Amino acid sequence: MSGWGYEYLQDISYHTEGWKYEYVLGTFSELIAKHEAGEIDLMSNISYTPERAENLLYSTNPSGKERYYIYVKPDRGDLTVGDPALAEDAQRAHDAGMNGHLAKPIDMEKVKQALATARR
């Protein structure tokens, strides 16, 4: 096994005497259902939502920070205009080789136009 979630749980295991992990494979929906049925005791890297919090006990400290990106063509600079405070994120996206960056709140009409253009 490998990956960020696996490595994180390995780090935790050094501080939790007696914990033994058995890794269960499946789709996200299958694993959530098993967790809710009591067949799985612990899952990592589950995004917080109020709906999930009704059935899951989240740790008080998040294990990470999520970022989602939509890629756009370089000639669609009109889609990357947003809050000036997000310019650093846009620069990091560009430096990482991404063609563009959209910030929340996203104008869905601009996204639809960009996707329609990209499909051509």
Side-chain angles (χ1 to χ4, degrees), residues 2 4 6 12 17 21-22 24 28 32 34 37 40 46 50 55 59 63 76 90 92 96 104-105 107-108 118-119:
S2 65
W4 189 89
Y6 172 80
I12 290 174
E17 188 175 330
Y21 299 132
E22 175 185 339
V24 179
F28 181 77
I32 284 286
K34 286 184 179 207
I40 295 176
I46 299 178
N55 298 309
S59 59
S63 60
R76 292 304 309 265
R92 280 197 304 265
K104 293 179 183 177
D107 182 335
M108 286 309 296
R119 280 186 252 160

Side-chain angles (χ1 to χ4, degrees), residues 4-22:
W4 189 89
Y6 172 80
E7 297 296 331
Y8 185 72
L9 290 176
Q10 291 303 303
D11 286 346
I12 290 174
S13 72
Y14 297 122
H15 307 283
T16 53
E17 188 175 330
W19 282 26
K20 293 185 178 153
Y21 299 132
E22 175 185 339

Side-chain angles (χ1 to χ4, degrees), residues 8-99:
Y8 185 72
L9 290 176
Q10 291 303 303
D11 286 346
I12 290 174
S13 72
Y14 297 122
H15 307 283
T16 53
E17 188 175 330
W19 282 26
K20 293 185 178 153
Y21 299 132
E22 175 185 339
Y23 293 93
V24 179
L25 302 177
T27 66
F28 181 77
S29 297
E30 291 168 345
L31 295 173
I32 284 286
K34 286 184 179 207
H35 184 51
E36 289 177 352
E39 298 172 33
I40 295 176
D41 297 318
L42 180 142
M43 288 180 66
S44 65
N45 306 335
I46 299 178
S47 300
Y48 178 88
T49 67
E51 296 79 20
R52 289 181 186 155
E54 292 176 11
N55 298 309
L56 303 173
L57 177 61
Y58 285 88
S59 59
T60 54
N61 295 314
S63 60
K65 181 178 178 181
E66 294 179 274
R67 291 183 180 238
Y68 298 96
Y69 297 95
I70 296 176
Y71 301 91
V72 297
K73 290 183 173 185
D75 62 345
R76 292 304 309 265
D78 60 307
L79 297 174
T80 61
V81 176
D83 184 344
L86 299 175
E88 187 177 312
D89 281 347
Q91 185 61 50
R92 280 197 304 265
H94 180 269
D95 293 346
M98 297 178 197
N99 291 335

